[in-house]
Amino acid sequence: MDDNKEYISNSNFVQDFGNFTDRDFHKLSHFIFHEFGIQLPDKKKFLLKSRLVKRLKILGISKYSEYVNYVMEGGTKGSEEVIEMIDVVSTNKTDFFRENAHFDFLIDKVVPDFMGKGIKSPKVWSAGCSSGEEVYTICMVFEEECRLNRLRDYQVYGSDISVSILKKAVKAIYPFSRAEQIPDRYRKRYLLKSKGDGKQEVRILKTLRDKTHFIWLNLMDDQYILAKNFDIIFCRNTLIYFDRETQKQVVSKLLEHLKPGGYLFIGHSESLLNHNIPNLQQIKPTIYLKIK
Ligand SMILES: C[S@@+](CC[C@H](N)C(=O)[O-])C[C@H]1O[C@@H](n2cnc3c(N)ncnc32)[C@H](O)[C@@H]1O
């Protein structure tokens, strides 16, 4: 297949958007790294190219080089396009009860610890929340803890840079197949099945949705617009896209929003080893306690 031509599914239609040169790629990948911290190594060139096709078609732009200039130098319209571009560039893979050991730890260790300290209504932040599965997993776990009178209430904040993914999170409607990862006891209590229209979907119960707040937030910002009183922060499978220095800066800023005695959870393939972040005690390989 000619590398300069894009094929759309079920059709022989071919549209030529010109060459996505190394220069275009480097210009754009440096811009994305600078603005959003996301690293796009050379091997991601073709992935980026194929993901951008959609945007070129929507905008009626005929060349990649023109698109790169439009995003980077295009004034207000270009800034609006940055939001659209980051939607297609970011990797949003997520699941309910992903890395399940963290939720067992919440139940077995964190809640008893909070009970001992008199924290009855913990405030949680999922930074890089994607389409909301992590946020609603925390809600299900904490709603159950409220039912058992181990907590009184809870609030869960979710933030992300992708607008389209945040809209999905707010809707809280998921294909039925995705709900299979949810343990039975939660699934039966906290999901509504869609009625009629043949779609196999579930929606998170309103009681849980009412405990959530979703906001657009770039972790590369100098300061975060959220309050500095979180009891728990999840930042999982998001740091992995940043380089070491950016990871350290992001974690340091996140910690300003975590109360002393609060917990930080990172993804199982992430590490803060050798980052020398003060006042952070490692409890498990991917779980940290803020000491003061
Ligand atoms: C792979 S998902 C992880 C979702 C969830 N935390 C989990 O572990 O399943 C990573 C998310 O981080 C978001 N992200 C990437 N760079 C970001 C940035 N600079 N600021 C905020 N969110 C970012 C992406 O849009 C994406 O939704």
Side-chain angles (χ1 to χ4, degrees), residues 109-123:
K109 302 285 183 222
V110 177
V111 172
D113 178 33
F114 284 180
M115 286 166 77
K117 291 175 183 160
I119 301 170
K120 296 182 176 127
S121 305
K123 219 174 134 182

PDB file of all heavy atoms in Angstrom, residues 109-123:
ATOM      1  N   LYS A 109      -7.299  -2.236  54.113  1.00  0.00           N
ATOM      2  CA  LYS A 109      -6.327  -1.401  54.845  1.00  0.00           C
ATOM      3  C   LYS A 109      -6.753   0.061  54.958  1.00  0.00           C
ATOM      4  O   LYS A 109      -6.677   0.647  56.042  1.00  0.00           O
ATOM      5  CB  LYS A 109      -4.948  -1.456  54.146  1.00  0.00           C
ATOM      6  CG  LYS A 109      -4.369  -2.840  54.022  1.00  0.00           C
ATOM      7  CD  LYS A 109      -3.826  -3.326  55.346  1.00  0.00           C
ATOM      8  CE  LYS A 109      -3.175  -4.696  55.179  1.00  0.00           C
ATOM      9  NZ  LYS A 109      -3.486  -5.617  56.250  1.00  0.00           N
ATOM     10  N   VAL A 110      -7.146   0.656  53.846  1.00  0.00           N
ATOM     11  CA  VAL A 110      -7.375   2.104  53.873  1.00  0.00           C
ATOM     12  C   VAL A 110      -8.606   2.458  54.711  1.00  0.00           C
ATOM     13  O   VAL A 110      -8.531   3.320  55.593  1.00  0.00           O
ATOM     14  CB  VAL A 110      -7.499   2.673  52.431  1.00  0.00           C
ATOM     15  CG1 VAL A 110      -7.823   4.165  52.472  1.00  0.00           C
ATOM     16  CG2 VAL A 110      -6.211   2.429  51.653  1.00  0.00           C
ATOM     17  N   VAL A 111      -9.708   1.772  54.472  1.00  0.00           N
ATOM     18  CA  VAL A 111     -10.933   2.116  55.221  1.00  0.00           C
ATOM     19  C   VAL A 111     -10.727   1.893  56.730  1.00  0.00           C
ATOM     20  O   VAL A 111     -11.031   2.799  57.520  1.00  0.00           O
ATOM     21  CB  VAL A 111     -12.166   1.369  54.652  1.00  0.00           C
ATOM     22  CG1 VAL A 111     -13.381   1.572  55.552  1.00  0.00           C
ATOM     23  CG2 VAL A 111     -12.481   1.856  53.243  1.00  0.00           C
ATOM     24  N   PRO A 112     -10.184   0.747  57.176  1.00  0.00           N
ATOM     25  CA  PRO A 112      -9.932   0.601  58.618  1.00  0.00           C
ATOM     26  C   PRO A 112      -9.002   1.693  59.157  1.00  0.00           C
ATOM     27  O   PRO A 112      -9.228   2.224  60.252  1.00  0.00           O
ATOM     28  CB  PRO A 112      -9.270  -0.783  58.726  1.00  0.00           C
ATOM     29  CG  PRO A 112      -9.734  -1.521  57.514  1.00  0.00           C
ATOM     30  CD  PRO A 112      -9.891  -0.506  56.443  1.00  0.00           C
ATOM     31  N   ASP A 113      -7.972   2.057  58.380  1.00  0.00           N
ATOM     32  CA  ASP A 113      -7.060   3.134  58.798  1.00  0.00           C
ATOM     33  C   ASP A 113      -7.835   4.444  58.957  1.00  0.00           C
ATOM     34  O   ASP A 113      -7.693   5.150  59.957  1.00  0.00           O
ATOM     35  CB  ASP A 113      -5.950   3.260  57.735  1.00  0.00           C
ATOM     36  CG  ASP A 113      -4.976   4.386  58.057  1.00  0.00           C
ATOM     37  OD1 ASP A 113      -4.747   4.636  59.257  1.00  0.00           O
ATOM     38  OD2 ASP A 113      -4.459   5.030  57.115  1.00  0.00           O
ATOM     39  N   PHE A 114      -8.689   4.762  57.980  1.00  0.00           N
ATOM     40  CA  PHE A 114      -9.482   5.998  58.045  1.00  0.00           C
ATOM     41  C   PHE A 114     -10.467   5.947  59.220  1.00  0.00           C
ATOM     42  O   PHE A 114     -10.690   6.955  59.886  1.00  0.00           O
ATOM     43  CB  PHE A 114     -10.244   6.222  56.731  1.00  0.00           C
ATOM     44  CG  PHE A 114      -9.384   6.732  55.586  1.00  0.00           C
ATOM     45  CD1 PHE A 114      -9.933   6.988  54.333  1.00  0.00           C
ATOM     46  CD2 PHE A 114      -8.029   6.977  55.763  1.00  0.00           C
ATOM     47  CE1 PHE A 114      -9.154   7.461  53.286  1.00  0.00           C
ATOM     48  CE2 PHE A 114      -7.234   7.448  54.715  1.00  0.00           C
ATOM     49  CZ  PHE A 114      -7.793   7.677  53.478  1.00  0.00           C
ATOM     50  N   MET A 115     -11.049   4.768  59.466  1.00  0.00           N
ATOM     51  CA  MET A 115     -11.990   4.649  60.597  1.00  0.00           C
ATOM     52  C   MET A 115     -11.264   4.996  61.891  1.00  0.00           C
ATOM     53  O   MET A 115     -11.776   5.719  62.747  1.00  0.00           O
ATOM     54  CB  MET A 115     -12.572   3.231  60.667  1.00  0.00           C
ATOM     55  CG  MET A 115     -13.600   2.940  59.575  1.00  0.00           C
ATOM     56  SD  MET A 115     -13.967   1.195  59.421  1.00  0.00           S
ATOM     57  CE  MET A 115     -15.023   0.924  60.814  1.00  0.00           C
ATOM     58  N   GLY A 116     -10.039   4.470  62.019  1.00  0.00           N
ATOM     59  CA  GLY A 116      -9.238   4.740  63.217  1.00  0.00           C
ATOM     60  C   GLY A 116      -8.919   6.221  63.367  1.00  0.00           C
ATOM     61  O   GLY A 116      -8.792   6.741  64.477  1.00  0.00           O
ATOM     62  N   LYS A 117      -8.766   6.911  62.230  1.00  0.00           N
ATOM     63  CA  LYS A 117      -8.394   8.334  62.268  1.00  0.00           C
ATOM     64  C   LYS A 117      -9.618   9.245  62.251  1.00  0.00           C
ATOM     65  O   LYS A 117      -9.479  10.473  62.189  1.00  0.00           O
ATOM     66  CB  LYS A 117      -7.534   8.669  61.046  1.00  0.00           C
ATOM     67  CG  LYS A 117      -6.147   8.051  61.049  1.00  0.00           C
ATOM     68  CD  LYS A 117      -5.474   8.388  59.717  1.00  0.00           C
ATOM     69  CE  LYS A 117      -4.113   7.765  59.572  1.00  0.00           C
ATOM     70  NZ  LYS A 117      -3.697   7.700  58.163  1.00  0.00           N
ATOM     71  N   GLY A 118     -10.804   8.662  62.213  1.00  0.00           N
ATOM     72  CA  GLY A 118     -12.034   9.477  62.201  1.00  0.00           C
ATOM     73  C   GLY A 118     -12.358  10.090  60.844  1.00  0.00           C
ATOM     74  O   GLY A 118     -13.127  11.047  60.765  1.00  0.00           O
ATOM     75  N   ILE A 119     -11.748   9.577  59.771  1.00  0.00           N
ATOM     76  CA  ILE A 119     -12.098  10.083  58.426  1.00  0.00           C
ATOM     77  C   ILE A 119     -13.303   9.280  57.928  1.00  0.00           C
ATOM     78  O   ILE A 119     -13.169   8.105  57.561  1.00  0.00           O
ATOM     79  CB  ILE A 119     -10.903   9.944  57.438  1.00  0.00           C
ATOM     80  CG1 ILE A 119      -9.705  10.730  57.961  1.00  0.00           C
ATOM     81  CG2 ILE A 119     -11.297  10.391  56.027  1.00  0.00           C
ATOM     82  CD1 ILE A 119      -8.405  10.483  57.209  1.00  0.00           C
ATOM     83  N   LYS A 120     -14.466   9.933  57.946  1.00  0.00           N
ATOM     84  CA  LYS A 120     -15.696   9.186  57.621  1.00  0.00           C
ATOM     85  C   LYS A 120     -16.167   9.418  56.206  1.00  0.00           C
ATOM     86  O   LYS A 120     -16.955   8.642  55.670  1.00  0.00           O
ATOM     87  CB  LYS A 120     -16.806   9.600  58.586  1.00  0.00           C
ATOM     88  CG  LYS A 120     -16.476   9.230  60.012  1.00  0.00           C
ATOM     89  CD  LYS A 120     -17.603   9.610  60.945  1.00  0.00           C
ATOM     90  CE  LYS A 120     -17.258   9.137  62.348  1.00  0.00           C
ATOM     91  NZ  LYS A 120     -17.356  10.213  63.328  1.00  0.00           N
ATOM     92  N   SER A 121     -15.721  10.522  55.579  1.00  0.00           N
ATOM     93  CA  SER A 121     -16.191  10.851  54.224  1.00  0.00           C
ATOM     94  C   SER A 121     -15.000  11.179  53.330  1.00  0.00           C
ATOM     95  O   SER A 121     -14.741  12.353  53.032  1.00  0.00           O
ATOM     96  CB  SER A 121     -17.145  12.043  54.271  1.00  0.00           C
ATOM     97  OG  SER A 121     -18.204  11.787  55.161  1.00  0.00           O
ATOM     98  N   PRO A 122     -14.247  10.155  52.905  1.00  0.00           N
ATOM     99  CA  PRO A 122     -13.030  10.431  52.138  1.00  0.00           C
ATOM    100  C   PRO A 122     -13.308  11.077  50.778  1.00  0.00           C
ATOM    101  O   PRO A 122     -14.348  10.848  50.172  1.00  0.00           O
ATOM    102  CB  PRO A 122     -12.393   9.046  51.956  1.00  0.00           C
ATOM    103  CG  PRO A 122     -13.460   8.065  52.249  1.00  0.00           C
ATOM    104  CD  PRO A 122     -14.455   8.723  53.140  1.00  0.00           C
ATOM    105  N   LYS A 123     -12.324  11.879  50.371  1.00  0.00           N
ATOM    106  CA  LYS A 123     -12.393  12.551  49.071  1.00  0.00           C
ATOM    107  C   LYS A 123     -11.300  11.946  48.197  1.00  0.00           C
ATOM    108  O   LYS A 123     -10.138  11.883  48.605  1.00  0.00           O
ATOM    109  CB  LYS A 123     -12.092  14.030  49.317  1.00  0.00           C
ATOM    110  CG  LYS A 123     -12.913  14.971  48.496  1.00  0.00           C
ATOM    111  CD  LYS A 123     -12.640  16.383  48.932  1.00  0.00           C
ATOM    112  CE  LYS A 123     -12.424  17.239  47.713  1.00  0.00           C
ATOM    113  NZ  LYS A 123     -12.102  18.610  48.005  1.00  0.00           N
TER     114      LYS A 123
END
